[in-house]
Amino acid sequence: MPNHKETSKHFIQLWGDNTPHLATDYVAPGYVNHQLPDAFAGTSTLDFAQWQALVKDFHEKFSDVRADILLQVAEGEYVSTRFEFTATNTGPFDDHHPATGNTSTWTGTQTDRYQDGKLVESWVDWDKYSFLKGLGLID
């Protein structure tokens, strides 16, 4: 039986080591990632290729990325993971803001759904306010 908690932990930690291609072993075709809020505005729904591009783009703008798992709860085919990210802004953010050089720390929760042992859908809810405040982009 697959260890969904370990898989979800690994999937989130890919943000820290910038290796989203490694997720192909356990992500189902048709994977959907819901971001609330989206990094730029509103909400977004991403397929796997778009999610991989988002991680790549993030690593082009941020360095010293650390993804820590704070708590995990599993129920049936669902795993909910509370995480904390820390990253230093070393590239232009949102194409409107030059690199701040600031290090930001923020938390969030990702809930993953599995089907037939594969990750099929994720819902991500993260603290965009703390992220932007840490970058010095808002008071």
Side-chain angles (χ1 to χ4, degrees):
M1 179 171 177
N3 185 339
H4 296 323
K5 283 173 73 173
E6 253 331 285
T7 301
S8 288
K9 176 182 176 182
H10 183 257
F11 193 66
I12 291 169
Q13 289 177 330
L14 293 175
W15 283 90
D17 64 15
N18 193 25
T19 56
H21 60 280
L22 295 179
T24 56
D25 312 10
Y26 53 81
V27 173
Y31 169 79
V32 178
N33 184 289
H34 307 277
Q35 295 278 325
L36 175 69
D38 182 272
F40 303 110
T43 61
S44 63
T45 300
L46 310 172
D47 64 23
F48 185 59
Q50 292 167 321
W51 177 85
Q52 288 176 307
L54 178 66
V55 174
K56 181 180 182 291
D57 183 61
F58 176 77
H59 277 272
E60 289 172 358
K61 297 169 182 176
F62 293 87
S63 63
D64 304 323
V65 181
R66 193 176 76 237
D68 294 319
I69 305 305
L70 304 176
L71 174 72
Q72 285 189 299
V73 177
E75 179 76 28
E77 296 296 308
Y78 291 87
V79 175
S80 185
T81 305
R82 181 137 175 87
F83 59 82
E84 179 181 77
F85 283 8
T86 301
T88 303
N89 181 214
T90 52
F93 175 71
D94 191 15
D95 298 326
H96 298 104
H97 305 285
T100 64
N102 293 349
T103 298
S104 184
T105 299
W106 65 98
T107 58
T109 302
Q110 178 166 313
T111 301
D112 298 321
R113 181 173 68 86
Y114 291 84
Q115 185 175 347
D116 300 325
K118 298 278 189 176
L119 180 57
V120 295
E121 195 164 17
S122 300
W123 294 265
V124 183
D125 185 6
W126 60 284
D127 184 359
K128 185 175 179 179
Y129 175 80
S130 291
F131 170 70
L132 294 173
K133 186 169 176 59
L135 295 180
L137 299 177
I138 59 173
D139 294 328

